[in-house]
Amino acid sequence: RRDLLPAADGPLRVVLGPNDDWFESDSVGDLLGGPYTVSTSSNRVGVRLVGTPLRRGRAGELATSGMVTGAMQVPPDGQPIVLLANHGPTGGYPVVAVVATVDLPRAGQARPGGTLSFTAVSREQAVAAYARLRTAITRAVSA
């Protein structure tokens, strides 16, 4: 049943953080206001986005740390990069948000020139959405 599948369009759900406090609050609003265009530089490592640059409100550098798939790193140019399946294990740029696991396939299928937008959800909402998808898949396979 198609109604059990995640939406094919609309904003990607993101959980803000862990470094969203490194950015000016109106800049985080810009991210959520989107849209952002998918760059031709995108690949299996990450979806590079072009749009309103995210401005840091905090100077300095972050220590290199482990990265999860879906992390949205922001290099000094302010243009976000959504890390995909072939991303490196560590990164050094601040992570403004993480794409919810349930929406990662849509991020990975974004085509250069296409647009993406984002909406903030809580961690609990992101986990619940993924749990609903897994339940729907299990039911569909078992039927």
Side-chain angles (χ1 to χ4, degrees), residues 16-25 28 56-58 94-96:
L16 294 176
N19 309 122
D20 58 318
D21 60 341
W22 277 61
F23 298 90
E24 295 177 6
S25 59
V28 174
R56 285 192 190 184
R58 191 174 186 178
V95 175
V96 68

Side-chain angles (χ1 to χ4, degrees), residues 49-106:
L49 302 172
V50 179
T52 303
L54 303 183
R55 294 171 311 284
R56 285 192 190 184
R58 191 174 186 178
E61 295 300 320
L62 278 168
T64 299
S65 59
M67 289 291 111
V68 297
T69 303
M72 189 179 295
Q73 285 192 317
V74 184
D77 68 1
Q79 300 298 324
I81 303 167
V82 178
L83 300 180
L84 296 178
N86 285 23
H87 71 83
T90 63
Y93 300 131
V95 175
V96 68
V98 178
V99 174
T101 302
V102 71
D103 287 341
L104 280 174
R106 287 185 42 222

Side-chain angles (χ1 to χ4, degrees), residues 110-121:
R111 293 177 172 245
T115 59
L116 293 176
S117 61
F118 306 95
T119 188
V121 297

